[in-house]
Amino acid sequence: MNPTRVPTAPPERFNFAQHLIAMNVGRGEKPAYIDDLGSLSYGALADRVRRCASALTALGVRREERVLLLMQDCTDWPVAFLGALYGGITPVAVNTLLTADDYAYMLAHSRAQVAIVSAALLPTLQEAMAKAPHEVKQIIVSRGKEAIANTVDFDVWISGATPAASPADTAADEPGFWLYSSGSTGRPKGTVHSHGNLYWTAELYAQPVLGLTEKDICFSAAKLFFAYGLGNGLSFPLSVGATTILMAERPTPDACFKRFTALKPTVFFGAPTGYAGMLASPNLPAREQVALRMCSSAGEALPREIGEKFTARFGAEIIDGIGSTEMLHVFLSNRPGDVRYGTTGKAVPGYVVELHDETGDVLTGSDEVGDLYISGPSAALMYWANREKTNETFRGAWTKSGDKYFRDADGYYVYAGRSDDMLKVSGQYVSPFEVESTLMQHPAVLESAVIGVDDGDGLTRAKAFVVLKDATLADDALIATLKTFVKSKLAPYKYPRQLEFVAELPKTATGKIQRFKLRELEKSRVDRA
């Protein structure tokens, strides 16, 4: 970490793709990316980005029009994303694990003129296009093995284009790209970010806090379509000249271990559910088999137990932080050498955070739970075509995160849960995350989710859904044991009055638990009763 480094603002006329190309002009032969099929040097990346910009223009895509990226992580992804930015065209990066109905909505909502899609995802896109009241001009297929009717092969398309002579004359504050929110609380929202926002997250977090350098090899379990993954796998490493490992398959423990031991990443970016799965795996590698110097976690708060166990195993700290699609990356974080597991650390320099009570007043004391607000230069411009949600979230210089936090006596912020997920039991707030984290300290528990249910007398009580490491242990005796375990560690009113064992928890593709689906499940059970 370099606390003396003071980032400067980008110039008014600023194109982020050109910024990265200029920064790495002396690294032509160095690998920028390593994926499942090979590597791509910085020089080749710059050439293909310019060709992509030219090829999009040749298709008739105009400035600020949208291009849908439905792509698995591979070297074509950064080429397509940066190529669009270079040409002043707006890439819309979407989750690869959604349904045809979701993509039909996104196509219509974004009015994408071109779709760039991985061959494996083409059938789903074609189904979506049949449902969407909007036509795209062209489908470009990445990593296809054979010619497909009415589509163009990505490599053929890129190689046949003449590199653009110069980037589009974009402004730092003009719309650069879209990301759709993860949908942990409902329908995804089209979040519009500027060229400058990518610059700011790298300048404020990647270099001064994480201390990334050109010597690092970065590997992110979070995919590039996710705001967290976009920083980890694109803007962060390319801003310092590092090398990045990309993986098309889902980030199972074994898939990650394979890269840990074969490609030796020095920095790994994961999420709490992923770290928990790794620690529970019988194939967890030994410390001497990996080269990790540091790890990062975001998406949800990292339970203390997971952080401590992982560091004990590998000697690498997990730098836990919180970011959002709306703020693009992490704004509240622990720091290397100052990790306090069980907290989310302190505000990243360049950002200001506040806690507000239910009336909007700022909370200044410790241990008071409030709504988290953030002010910083990477905030999104808006939710596309959604004034109501835009006004609800973006409030002048401040962004309402939708998270509940409290600040401890030492100034470290502690996660209390999503605002929509908080419970009021016996007149007092109960954080689902606090109960979940406590349950996960029991050696039989892999993960858990807590919601509020009506006890039949009109009172709210906590109910826990628990995934066990060994499902054969599930019985009434273990339910009683787990309830007693929580009561021994938390205030009595916080323990879950009900507990149900489940095979898995509903989650977004980025690993966030969808507690609203558990609430819907309980409601449907009551309605049927």
Side-chain angles (χ1 to χ4, degrees):
M1 185 171 72
N2 182 7
T4 64
R5 184 177 180 276
V6 180
T8 58
E12 180 182 349
R13 309 309 301 178
F14 179 78
N15 183 294
F16 185 72
Q18 171 59 20
H19 167 71
L20 293 182
I21 289 172
M23 288 191 68
N24 292 295
V25 71
R27 299 187 176 98
E29 298 303 316
K30 181 179 180 179
Y33 286 100
I34 301 170
D35 71 5
D36 300 334
L37 298 182
S39 64
L40 183 71
S41 70
Y42 272 98
L45 173 64
D47 177 70
R48 287 171 71 83
V49 164
R50 292 188 175 108
R51 289 177 185 273
C52 182
S54 178
L56 286 170
T57 302
L59 288 175
V61 186
R62 297 172 295 182
R63 283 282 300 273
E64 298 182 20
E65 288 185 328
R66 270 76 67 189
V67 173
L68 190 83
L69 305 189
L70 176 55
M71 307 173 70
Q72 295 170 333
D73 281 15
C74 68
T75 57
D76 291 347
W77 205 108
V79 169
F81 183 85
L82 294 173
L85 289 181
Y86 193 87
I89 293 161
T90 305
V92 179
V94 299
N95 186 329
T96 59
L97 299 173
L98 301 180
T99 66
D101 287 340
D102 293 319
Y103 299 133
Y105 165 74
M106 293 172 178
L107 283 167
H109 185 244
S110 67
R111 298 192 299 276
Q113 300 298 300
V114 170
I116 305 178
V117 58
S118 293
L121 301 171
L122 178 60
T124 306
L125 176 66
Q126 290 173 323
E127 183 183 347
M129 290 174 63
K131 298 180 177 183
H134 169 74
E135 289 188 18
V136 300
K137 294 177 178 178
Q138 184 66 64
I139 300 174
I140 313 297
V141 179
S142 166
R143 300 294 168 97
K145 295 182 180 179
E146 57 187 32
I148 303 171
N150 302 316
T151 70
V152 175
D153 179 78
F154 187 86
D155 282 331
V156 173
W157 181 62
I158 291 290
S159 61
T162 301
S166 60
D169 181 24
T170 52
D173 287 338
E174 76 176 59
F177 64 101
W178 293 17
L179 299 173
Y180 276 92
S181 62
S182 63
S184 59
T185 57
R187 170 164 269 186
K189 299 177 286 293
T191 311
V192 182
H193 278 284
S194 69
H195 280 258
N197 288 358
L198 288 161
Y199 169 88
W200 279 117
T201 57
E203 287 292 303
L204 295 178
Y205 192 62
Q207 298 179 54
V209 176
L210 295 183
L212 296 183
T213 74
E214 64 180 346
K215 296 180 181 179
D216 279 312
I217 300 174
C218 299
F219 174 40
S220 176
K223 300 300 186 180
L224 288 164
F225 67 75
F226 180 31
Y228 178 49
L230 183 62
N232 306 339
L234 192 147
S235 56
F236 287 9
L238 297 185
S239 290
V240 299
T243 296
T244 301
I245 299 165
L246 296 179
M247 176 177 71
E249 64 186 299
R250 297 191 69 171
T252 63
D254 283 347
C256 291
F257 297 159
K258 178 180 177 182
R259 276 77 184 177
F260 282 2
T261 56
L263 298 176
K264 303 290 186 181
T266 58
V267 180
F268 174 69
F269 301 86
T273 53
Y275 287 113
M278 289 182 189
L279 290 169
S281 171
N283 300 322
L284 187 68
R287 180 184 296 197
E288 59 270 17
Q289 292 178 279
V290 307
L292 297 173
R293 70 169 183 84
M294 181 179 65
C295 295
S296 167
S297 181
E300 289 199 306
L302 180 74
R304 179 194 304 271
E305 186 86 356
I306 293 175
E308 291 175 346
K309 285 184 177 179
F310 195 90
T311 298
R313 175 75 176 198
F314 294 110
E317 294 177 319
I318 300 179
I319 312 303
D320 185 32
I322 182 175
S324 66
T325 304
E326 292 75 12
M327 293 304 295
L328 191 55
H329 213 276
V330 170
F331 50 80
L332 183 66
S333 180
N334 281 273
R335 287 145 171 80
D338 184 22
V339 171
R340 186 172 295 196
Y341 288 128
T343 81
T344 317
K346 299 180 179 180
V348 171
Y351 294 89
V352 179
V353 297
E354 290 183 349
L355 298 179
H356 293 194
D357 65 16
E358 293 176 348
T359 66
D361 290 336
V362 178
L363 299 173
T364 58
S366 61
D367 299 326
E368 296 179 283
V369 175
D371 292 305
L372 184 68
Y373 282 71
I374 316 100
S375 179
S378 65
L381 302 174
M382 69 179 97
Y383 295 130
W384 184 260
N386 195 333
R387 183 187 294 270
E388 179 183 359
K389 290 295 184 181
T390 295
N391 290 341
E392 184 181 313
T393 299
F394 303 104
R395 306 185 179 193
W398 293 90
T399 300
K400 183 180 181 181
S401 74
D403 297 291
K404 292 279 191 181
Y405 266 84
F406 67 88
R407 188 173 44 246
D408 70 15
D410 296 322
Y412 292 82
Y413 285 78
V414 181
Y415 183 66
R418 291 289 296 173
S419 299
D420 293 340
D421 294 331
M422 292 293 289
L423 313 178
K424 213 160 194 179
V425 177
S426 302
Q428 302 181 73
Y429 271 125
V430 173
S431 162
F433 178 75
E434 183 182 22
V435 182
E436 293 160 5
S437 297
T438 303
L439 279 165
M440 289 174 65
Q441 292 175 31
H442 192 280
V445 176
L446 177 61
E447 55 185 357
S448 67
V450 172
I451 63 169
V453 296
D454 192 321
D455 68 354
D457 296 319
L459 299 175
T460 298
R461 301 298 185 196
K463 176 175 181 176
F465 294 82
V466 173
V467 180
L468 296 174
K469 294 176 182 176
D470 181 356
T472 63
L473 298 177
D475 59 20
D476 290 343
L478 183 55
I479 289 176
T481 297
L482 292 176
K483 288 181 179 181
T484 301
F485 181 77
V486 174
K487 280 194 284 187
S488 71
K489 293 179 175 293
L490 299 178
Y493 69 90
K494 295 183 179 181
Y495 90 93
R497 302 306 201 274
Q498 299 180 36
L499 195 149
E500 179 179 337
F501 296 121
V502 294
E504 61 180 359
L505 299 174
K507 297 174 186 173
T508 68
T510 54
K512 294 181 181 179
I513 296 172
Q514 294 175 308
R515 293 173 186 83
F516 76 94
K517 289 192 175 181
L518 296 174
R519 290 193 290 268
E520 290 173 354
L521 173 64
E522 284 298 298
K523 183 178 184 301
S524 69
R525 288 172 172 175
V526 172
D527 291 343
R528 289 196 302 268

